[in-house]
Amino acid sequence: MGYDLDGKRAIVTGGGTGIGYAIALELTRQGASVAITSRRAGVLDNAAKRIKDEIGADILTVTADTGDDESVKALVETVRGEFGGVDILVNNAAEQPAQHGPSYTDATDEWFQRQINVKVIGYLRTIRAVAPLMIENKWGRIINISGTGSRQTVSVIGSVRNAGVTALTKNVADELGRHGINVTVVHPGATRTERYLELRDRAVINEATRESHINNVIGRVVEPEEVAWVVAFLASPRSVAITGDGIVAGGGIPGFIYY
């Protein structure tokens, strides 16, 4: 079963590394024209080269900051000018870790506001900028990347920003559904990204215990491409029956039953 993404036009924010990069690679592999964004031009250039080397395809790179409304508007205008429109938006731009320290006392005002601005309001900014193009086209897919912290305590900021993305997703999905636009949220758990490995290696001493903290059903860290496969399906016409809901891609959270 293919994803029917040939000719589709996509934006992946935070697409230079980690899960965002894996998503950009998979969408490109499936035939979509893909633009990736980051605040760091060097990261984007490296990602574009890696994709070119791996599958022989070119992608569009646009330096942008989802924490700034004018930057987001310029991003969408650039992609519209290059691709003629936008069919798929993957909101993935976020900073890790969400919070510096595990306690509520570590949730400083300045950092809290910064994380909400980039991840929650930032997602809303890109949706506001892209939705008119999708409405005009009478079709679209918006996939917001959140995290299992929306359902588990990880940190105050981590849980609040992910819960905020979940609420944003449902509100926008209800409003845009009549225009042929589906909006979903994907919740990755521990995923083997560059940043995950960096944070993990700071906190462990010996190799044997490096992943002993993983508490999921499959018993291992999820790979970025495994999240990307889920996102590619949600970005496709075949996902039409799913909107407003969350898909957890964390290897299964033991013990909990959700209805």
Side-chain angles (χ1 to χ4, degrees):
M1 182 185 75
Y3 292 122
D4 295 335
L5 291 178
D6 284 340
K8 299 299 185 186
R9 302 155 297 183
I11 295 174
V12 181
T13 70
T17 59
I19 291 172
Y21 171 81
I23 292 168
L25 175 62
E26 184 61 25
L27 293 179
T28 305
R29 195 193 306 276
Q30 295 297 330
S33 298
V34 177
I36 60 172
T37 77
S38 171
R39 290 177 297 185
R40 298 172 292 171
V43 167
L44 293 176
D45 292 341
N46 181 60
K49 182 181 184 302
R50 289 170 61 196
I51 290 175
K52 179 71 170 179
D53 290 344
E54 183 163 346
I55 60 175
D58 292 312
I59 62 169
L60 177 65
T61 62
V62 185
T63 304
D65 179 3
T66 59
D68 180 80
D69 195 46
E70 291 305 314
S71 180
V72 169
K73 290 176 181 176
L75 157 68
V76 174
E77 184 58 26
T78 297
V79 176
R80 186 201 63 77
E82 291 289 334
F83 292 168
V86 178
D87 304 297
I88 299 162
L89 169 64
V90 182
N91 273 317
N92 175 70
E95 293 179 306
Q96 300 296 341
Q99 184 173 305
H100 298 290
S103 171
Y104 73 92
T105 59
D106 298 310
T108 63
D109 289 6
E110 181 181 5
W111 192 254
F112 207 151
Q113 290 164 358
R114 174 170 167 169
Q115 297 311 302
I116 296 298
N117 183 48
V118 170
K119 188 160 186 177
V120 183
I121 304 174
Y123 284 18
L124 177 59
R125 288 186 184 102
T126 55
I127 292 169
R128 283 197 308 243
V130 164
L133 302 179
M134 295 181 175
I135 291 171
E136 182 179 354
N137 199 37
K138 299 180 182 178
W139 194 92
R141 295 289 185 269
I142 298 171
I143 303 100
N144 296 320
I145 306 301
S146 181
T148 52
S150 64
R151 295 183 173 185
Q152 296 174 286
T153 53
V154 289
S155 68
V156 170
I157 298 175
S159 289
V160 169
R161 73 177 189 175
N162 286 344
V165 169
T166 302
L168 169 67
T169 298
K170 179 57 175 168
N171 277 271
V172 175
D174 283 4
E175 190 168 349
L176 292 181
R178 63 191 177 90
H179 298 289
I181 303 167
N182 288 37
V183 188
T184 51
V185 56
V186 173
H187 302 294
T191 307
R192 197 186 306 278
T193 63
E194 300 94 325
R195 186 60 170 155
Y196 167 82
L197 294 174
E198 178 187 340
L199 294 173
R200 181 202 66 179
D201 289 348
R202 288 183 193 172
V204 300
I205 297 174
N206 90 54
E207 186 73 28
T209 62
R210 281 189 169 187
E211 293 183 3
S212 62
H213 65 288
I214 299 302
N215 183 28
N216 63 19
V217 173
I218 65 174
R220 63 168 176 82
V221 177
V222 173
E223 301 298 332
E225 62 268 23
E226 294 167 342
V227 179
W229 296 336
V230 175
V231 173
F233 167 71
L234 293 173
S236 78
R238 296 180 182 273
S239 69
V240 65
I242 305 172
T243 192
D245 290 319
I247 306 295
V248 180
I253 301 172
F256 294 95
I257 299 174
Y258 295 100
Y259 296 96

